[in-house]
Amino acid sequence: MSIIAKNVTKIYGKQKALDNVSFEIKKGEIVGFLGPNGAGKSTMMKIITGYLPPTSGHIEVNGLDIYEHALEIKKQIGYLPEQNPLYYEMYVKEFLEFVAKLYGIKNVTQRVKEMIDICGLEIEQQKKIKTLSKGYKQRAGLAQALIHNPSILILDEPTSGLDPNQLEEIRQLIKELGKNKTVMFSTHIMQEVEAVCNKLMIIHRGKIVASDSIQNIKNISASSSIIVEFSVSLNEKAFSKLSLQKLEKLSDSKWMIETSDVEISKKLMNIALENNASIITLHKSELKLEEIFKTLTQ
Ligand code: ADP
Ligand code: MG
């Protein structure tokens, strides 16, 4: 259940930012929302969290329409916008107490302490937000998004601008949080998705171009590329029964093929048998997620 988007379109003036987008995010999934700049990620997230109305279409969160149950849904969602909404003049602890009170949380001191603990803010809790490093600012932003214990977390590019160490720490934190929450986070970094998520949605020019488990996306969009060398010379005809995306002759006996046929190795063996030959080398390389992303968003 969790999040369902049905035919969501958003038009800003003449700019169509989302074009009939539909998807479903199930309870407990960590979904990477991947797309190049300007693809529509932030727009989608603002709509899901109820901060922006769609031009048309519907969003349901935990079975409720977000516009009929706006307040109730805001309680179930934690949102970290792209521009982390921090009060720079406040101290970390003071800021979190302020947010906790906004949500009407009963035991404020206790909850703030928990958030400081979960988000690893202990050593910085007495500092002013403006003096924090980018990584700690993101932690403070996450603490703010989590303080009311929402079941769903929407994080808009939570790792952008972090250095490699901070990046790794925030990724781990998201993964940890994802153990008992539904998480949707956007990024334009491919490796991040593989490191953190169990599901991937790729958006391009306002349209979802792929949505599935990471493994399935790899299998579907993809094609592996294979280099095969036979013990004899062969011509193109030998491959005519195969369904290939690409066939390239490297030498008389050596060929490069691209196919999504999972039984390709077996079929190449048969070709060798039919020609009284053997296979000398067979080298298979799976298309990397990065390449799939490039293909889908070109
Ligand atoms: P992303 O987060 O994937 O980078 P956005 O959702 O921010 O993409 O933007 C999607 C498209 O909508 C872009 O072309 C952007 O310029 C446009 N856009 C976003 N917000 C506005 C706005 N308030 N007014 C006009 N156009 C906007
Ligand atoms: Mg954005």
Side-chain angles (χ1 to χ4, degrees), residues 94-270:
E94 181 192 16
F95 169 67
L96 293 177
E97 283 166 4
F98 168 74
V99 178
K101 283 175 194 156
L102 283 184
Y103 277 111
I105 288 166
K106 292 204 182 81
N107 199 339
V108 170
T109 316
Q110 170 67 21
R111 186 61 185 157
V112 168
K113 202 165 167 287
E114 277 169 23
M115 290 326 300
I116 286 175
D117 190 36
I118 292 170
C119 297
L121 283 160
E122 299 85 355
I123 49 170
E124 307 291 61
Q125 61 178 300
Q126 309 293 354
K127 288 193 184 166
K128 263 195 185 176
I129 287 176
K130 68 176 176 192
T131 67
L132 300 181
S133 67
K134 175 95 191 185
Y136 276 96
K137 284 196 181 101
Q138 285 307 80
R139 286 168 188 266
L142 274 172
Q144 144 317 110
L146 283 164
I147 203 154
H148 55 302
N149 196 22
S151 61
I152 298 173
L153 263 184
I154 307 283
L155 312 173
D156 198 353
E157 305 220 17
T159 59
S160 85
L162 301 184
D163 71 33
N165 290 334
Q166 298 167 335
L167 205 94
E168 192 43 42
E169 287 167 16
I170 296 290
R171 281 180 192 165
Q172 285 310 320
L173 184 54
I174 294 172
K175 226 171 156 173
E176 194 57 40
L177 296 170
K179 283 185 183 156
N180 43 32
K181 296 194 188 299
T182 306
V183 182
M184 177 185 193
F185 82 94
S186 68
T187 174
H188 55 266
I189 309 169
M190 195 68 225
Q191 298 91 315
E192 189 142 285
V193 175
E194 274 192 289
V196 183
C197 311
N198 38 44
K199 196 179 151 182
L200 170 63
M201 274 195 324
I202 301 180
I203 184 168
H204 181 50
R205 297 202 184 123
K207 284 189 167 112
I208 303 284
V209 292
S211 169
D212 211 328
S213 72
I214 290 180
Q215 196 51 51
N216 281 351
I217 287 183
K218 278 187 175 173
N219 292 346
I220 295 163
S221 21
S223 69
S224 48
S225 137
I226 294 169
I227 292 177
V228 56
E229 187 177 4
F230 296 93
S231 58
V232 298
S233 302
L234 290 178
N235 62 27
E236 244 174 71
K237 267 195 210 149
F239 301 92
S240 60
K241 283 187 212 149
L242 304 182
S243 109
L244 305 178
Q245 271 119 42
K246 205 168 154 188
L247 176 66
E248 198 182 310
K249 185 174 177 171
L250 303 177
S251 74
D252 283 342
S253 57
K254 202 169 176 179
W255 298 77
M256 201 278 288
I257 59 184
E258 257 179 49
T259 180
S260 45
D261 186 343
V262 288
E263 301 213 296
I264 190 66
S265 313
K266 214 160 100 189
K267 290 178 182 166
L268 290 172
M269 300 285 188
N270 283 336

Side-chain angles (χ1 to χ4, degrees), residues 51-65:
Y51 285 89
L52 192 72
T55 306
S56 59
H58 298 276
I59 305 280
E60 264 177 35
V61 169
N62 291 340
L64 302 175
D65 182 279

